[in-house]
Amino acid sequence: MADHGHNVRVTINGEAHEGHVEPRLLLSDFIRHEAGLTGTHVGCEHGVCGACTVLLDGAPVRSCLMFAVQADGASVETVESLANGETLHPLQEAFRREHGLQCGYCTPGILMTLKPFLAANPAPSDADIRQALSGHLCRCTGYQQIVAAVRRAAAMLRGEEP
Amino acid sequence: MKPPPFAYECPTEVADAVALLAAHGADARPLAGGQSLVPLLNFRLARPAVLVDLNRIAALGHVTVENGALRIGAMARQAAVEADPGVARGWPLLTDAISHIAHPQIRNRGTIGGSLAHNDPAAELPAVMLALDAEMTALGPEGTRTVPSGEFFAGTMETALAPDELLTEIRVPELPEGTGWSFREAARRQGDFALVAVAVLLRPSGSSSGIDARVVVTGTGDGPQRMREAEAVLAERGTGGDACEAAGNAAAQASEPADDPHAPAWYRQRLVAALTRRACREAAMRMGR
Ligand SMILES: Cc1cc2nc3c(=O)[nH]c(=O)nc-3n(C[C@H](O)[C@H](O)[C@H](O)COP(=O)(O)OP(=O)(O)OC[C@H]3O[C@@H](n4cnc5c(N)ncnc54)[C@H](O)[C@@H]3O)c2cc1C
Ligand code: FES
Ligand code: FES
């Protein structure tokens, strides 16, 4: 059979990752299995749950609804880009303090949606926050603590809370 | 699940994409934002032998206003059109309707052309394009043709496009000064497909009431449906008194939803009546009546 493999080069969290992949390889699986970055989770593989959300050239997208070949030349950010060594990103710190996660399956996708959201909306209302979260399913928390965590993260990023 | 194997083509010119579709016939499928097609592949409900990726064709991504009309390249992202100030100024109905499509993460990839070519029976964009009298430009091996939206949407997930034709551009005519508009949707959760959605457009005209009305309903059957009885009520009586209510009832009577797991038929019919009434009143208010 002909080799249907394609060479791809994707910059993930500032580092180049190359691979020779089948076109049907999903970007989510490239990130997890080729690049070994398993922080990006896979729930439904049809765009509904949001667990696989990453930033593609700065904008949040479902990595389960793209092929790795389509990200050739692009820049991807995953949850692993947030913390600085042992120091948590304010988003992560706020989720920790407000119990914004329990099992943590949904969290990486939520954080990647929230990073550009809070950059564009430094002082969101609760309604804004709920709207921003609407593309993510969490089966544990009941969402209240997540909303509280986003409120706290926004305050931390504004420099109003340590 | 994971998608079945396919061969991947990634042309950078529209002509090459059309040639690839012609060469592979029914075995090939264009890939736009992938927000409907990739789930179908992941579920293995679609098994095309070849995917022709349109994402690197720069000539399909434009959003421009020319001689008052809006021209949207088929690959323009829904999020880009939603954020376009020229679109918001001239065609706020379109801007508002896009905000009802799924979630921002989906709209960052999903395209205008992909949604129209897919023609999900509860999708917002086909209904809005029908209300706006948009024209679709299709390019195939025989060349370019223009299809009015009234002939483009041909039933559940069916359009006038042939398998080897590409939707390349959508043209939306200018709306006259003083046009009123409204988009109303009922869905079970934020971002879900509509149970029922209604687009109402009221253009000033020379009819007896001074109004030329478009009432389009989706979610009740096999795609967007113009509610001509409701339009006639408004053209004759305008929007005062109980005209909007009468238009809502006329639309409900003309709609024939079936029972499905999401909602019984009677509920959808009531939604048609209520949403049409509210959309009519809101459009009338925006018209200054
Ligand atoms: C969780 C989720 C929720 C969603 N909710 C909604 C919703 O509420 N409302 C809604 O309307 N949609 C919804 N969608 C679908 C989404 O809007 C898609 O973006 C859209 O239906 C298809 O656009 P696309 O660009 O992704 O096309 P693709 O998925 O790439 O393609 C769809 C189909 O159109 C064909 N096609 C694409 N472009 C062309 C072209 N230029 N010429 C010819 N054929 C073409 C493809 O071959 C394919 O058959 C949702 C999707 C998800 C994952
Ligand atoms: S795994 Fe991608 S949205 Fe659920
Ligand atoms: S914390 Fe378990 S799914 Fe959200």
Side-chain angles (χ1 to χ4, degrees):
Chain A
M1 220 180 123
D3 174 19
H4 285 307
H6 291 246
N7 292 320
V8 296
R9 185 189 165 91
V10 187
T11 303
I12 308 179
N13 305 333
E15 225 178 275
H17 290 268
E18 293 184 28
H20 185 74
V21 304
E22 266 192 278
R24 66 173 173 148
L25 183 72
L26 297 170
L27 178 60
S28 44
D29 288 331
F30 182 84
I31 292 169
R32 289 175 55 83
H33 304 306
E34 302 283 322
L37 296 166
T38 52
T40 299
H41 292 165
V42 170
C44 66
E45 290 186 334
H46 61 281
V48 172
C49 75
C52 69
T53 303
V54 300
L55 301 186
L56 178 77
D57 294 327
V61 302
R62 305 295 204 223
S63 61
C64 72
L65 297 187
M66 268 189 80
F67 300 108
V69 285
Q70 297 186 283
D72 185 36
S75 166
V76 169
E77 287 165 69
T78 69
V79 68
E80 285 91 346
S81 68
L82 293 179
N84 182 5
E86 294 293 300
T87 310
L88 293 180
H89 185 278
L91 267 169
Q92 295 168 306
E93 184 59 34
F95 268 67
R96 190 183 72 79
R97 284 206 228 160
E98 296 290 346
H99 301 282
L101 67 157
Q102 288 178 25
C103 79
Y105 204 85
C106 64
T107 317
I110 291 181
L111 298 184
M112 296 324 283
T113 284
L114 289 174
K115 188 184 171 198
F117 169 71
L118 287 181
N121 306 275
S125 67
D126 277 12
D128 296 337
I129 293 172
R130 286 179 186 279
Q131 171 113 13
L133 291 169
S134 68
H136 293 273
L137 297 178
C138 175
R139 299 292 78 180
C140 302
T141 61
Y143 302 102
Q144 302 295 347
Q145 300 103 297
I146 297 184
V147 174
V150 182
R151 243 185 264 129
R152 180 186 281 272
M156 287 169 75
L157 288 164
R158 290 195 305 267
E160 291 164 16
E161 274 188 56
Chain B
M1 267 168 60
K2 309 297 177 190
F6 53 81
Y8 176 74
E9 298 286 353
C10 191
T12 54
E13 302 294 332
V14 185
D16 295 340
V18 172
L20 282 162
L21 291 180
H24 295 287
D27 291 339
R29 282 279 272 277
L31 172 63
Q35 304 301 291
S36 294
L37 184 52
V38 179
L40 289 175
L41 296 170
N42 287 356
F43 281 127
R44 304 209 170 185
L45 293 171
R47 291 174 170 274
V50 182
L51 281 189
V52 179
D53 189 351
L54 309 178
N55 282 276
R56 294 190 199 257
I57 304 179
L60 291 179
H62 57 279
V63 183
T64 51
V65 178
E66 210 178 276
N67 300 325
L70 174 63
R71 299 176 52 181
I72 306 176
M75 285 302 292
R77 306 283 171 200
Q78 292 155 8
V81 177
E82 184 185 10
D84 190 285
V87 175
R89 228 174 295 123
W91 297 270
L93 171 63
L94 180 54
T95 307
D96 188 63
I98 293 176
S99 72
H100 289 268
I101 303 174
H103 313 286
Q105 301 91 337
I106 310 287
R107 301 198 289 273
N108 280 338
R109 293 292 295 169
T111 65
I112 301 292
S115 172
L116 297 174
H118 190 61
N119 195 21
D120 185 284
E124 289 82 358
L125 283 176
V128 166
M129 291 304 176
L130 191 54
L132 290 169
D133 287 333
E135 282 185 346
M136 316 293 163
T137 306
L139 179 66
E142 261 95 76
T144 299
R145 65 185 179 118
T146 304
V147 187
S149 47
E151 293 163 25
F152 186 81
F153 305 108
T156 296
M157 295 188 177
E158 297 281 342
T159 68
L161 290 174
D164 58 359
E165 266 184 324
L166 215 53
L167 173 60
T168 53
E169 189 179 75
I170 301 95
R171 281 173 193 250
V172 189
E174 187 173 16
L175 294 176
E177 194 73 32
T179 297
W181 62 276
S182 175
F183 187 84
R184 291 295 182 118
E185 172 166 327
R188 290 186 60 196
R189 288 165 305 224
Q190 163 93 31
D192 277 10
F193 277 97
L195 283 178
V196 170
V198 179
V200 169
L201 203 65
L202 305 175
R203 295 183 181 88
S205 86
S207 75
S208 61
S209 68
I211 287 178
D212 172 30
R214 277 282 187 290
V215 178
V216 178
V217 169
T218 195
T220 51
D222 52 9
Q225 190 185 352
R226 256 186 83 178
M227 294 301 183
R228 292 180 193 269
E229 296 79 0
E231 292 175 359
V233 168
L234 299 176
E236 204 182 292
R237 297 175 45 188
T239 54
D242 64 358
C244 284
E245 190 163 357
N249 292 338
Q253 216 148 46
S255 68
E256 295 173 329
D259 290 326
D260 75 13
H262 303 292
W266 65 263
Y267 181 67
R268 277 205 167 84
Q269 239 166 350
R270 285 200 193 179
L271 284 177
V272 172
L275 296 178
T276 302
R277 183 184 71 234
R278 289 177 202 156
C280 170
R281 290 195 178 138
E282 187 172 52
M285 214 171 62
R286 287 188 171 129
M287 211 181 174
R289 295 194 182 221

